[in-house]
Amino acid sequence: MYKSCRVPAVLAAILLVPIGLTGCGESSEEKATAQVCSSTKAIQAELSKLSGLSISTKAPEEIKDAAAVMNKEAAKIKESTANLPAASKAPVKTAQTALQAELAGLAKTLV
């Protein structure tokens, strides 16, 4: 009898642990906010690199590389915007649109 009571308890524990662990994760809003913050930091880092860039033969390549990173991060922000809290969506969309326009202008200048 001891064995038969123990098996359902073990099965219940095995089945309930994954359910409990899913509650410990981040919400989609938290993940989106974290992604936007991370991408914003990456874009700021690229802009810092560009501001300290000296004129050299490598400068055009470094600018193109930085623009590529910023475009990639901007795409991540755009993808994450849908999951942001309502109060954050409009300011992020406005900033993202401005960034895309700046990057498009930069790309035209380089080509």
Side-chain angles (χ1 to χ4, degrees):
M1 182 151 175
Y2 183 69
K3 283 185 180 181
S4 64
C5 289
R6 194 170 172 202
V7 172
V10 171
L11 284 176
I14 291 171
L15 294 174
L16 292 176
V17 168
I19 293 170
L21 290 177
T22 58
C24 295
E26 291 180 301
S27 71
S28 60
E29 286 182 348
E30 291 170 328
K31 288 179 183 176
T33 300
Q35 180 60 59
V36 169
C37 289
S38 173
S39 292
T40 301
K41 287 179 184 176
I43 290 169
Q44 288 172 340
E46 292 301 318
L47 290 172
S48 290
K49 285 182 195 176
L50 290 176
S51 68
L53 189 63
S54 61
I55 304 296
S56 70
T57 56
K58 292 183 181 181
E61 184 177 320
E62 291 174 354
I63 294 169
K64 286 179 185 179
D65 291 346
V69 169
M70 289 187 282
N71 273 322
K72 181 178 138 190
E73 295 301 328
K76 289 179 184 179
I77 291 171
K78 185 175 182 178
E79 183 180 303
S80 298
T81 302
N83 293 326
L84 287 173
S88 299
K89 285 183 182 181
V92 169
K93 283 183 180 181
T94 301
Q96 204 268 336
T97 302
L99 175 64
Q100 289 290 14
E102 288 292 324
L103 291 175
L106 178 63
K108 287 179 184 177
T109 303
L110 293 175
V111 176

